[in-house]
Amino acid sequence: PPPHPLVVGRLALWVFFSVPACAEFYTFVTNEKVKKMGTMCWLCLAILSLEMLVWVKFLPGQFPHLKEHPPVVVWSWIVFLVVSVVWSICFFWYIKSKDK
């Protein structure tokens, strides 16, 4: 990363926010008594979403030397993501139905 103080500070904040957020998410996923994600987990999700939106906003024309990806690469990623999402939904649905 660039050595600018804002970038280093942002990364340091991510380190300190992500540790409790990961712990809260792990507790939410593994403990059946916990029904809600913790505050730090939601905060990290909100910050990540905001950073992604800013990144997408300023992306066009940022890297003119890069060419578009070939369609086979784009479709491979789309298929991979769809299969991953469908598998995750089926897997966790099966676990919940098995526990009942």
Side-chain angles (χ1 to χ4, degrees):
H4 194 275
L6 286 177
V7 174
V8 175
R10 182 183 62 83
L11 291 176
L13 280 176
W14 262 114
V15 168
F16 291 119
F17 283 165
S18 65
V19 173
C22 289
E24 289 175 355
F25 184 73
Y26 178 77
T27 304
F28 172 70
V29 171
T30 58
N31 192 348
E32 297 167 355
K33 295 178 184 177
V34 177
K35 302 295 180 193
K36 295 181 180 179
M37 281 195 299
T39 308
M40 291 302 289
C41 192
W42 282 111
L43 181 65
C44 281
L45 284 173
I47 293 172
L48 181 65
S49 300
L50 182 66
E51 283 196 13
M52 294 265 312
L53 288 173
V54 169
W55 179 74
V56 167
K57 177 182 178 184
F58 292 110
L59 182 66
Q62 190 73 4
F63 304 104
H65 61 282
L66 296 178
K67 296 183 180 181
E68 279 193 31
H69 298 297
V72 69
V73 173
V74 173
W75 282 107
S76 298
W77 275 107
I78 290 171
V79 168
F80 172 75
L81 291 172
V82 168
V83 168
S84 298
V85 168
V86 169
W87 181 85
S88 298
I89 290 170
C90 292
F91 180 75
F92 288 112
W93 175 77
Y94 173 75
I95 287 178
K96 283 195 174 194
S97 65
K98 190 173 115 177
D99 289 340
K100 289 183 180 181

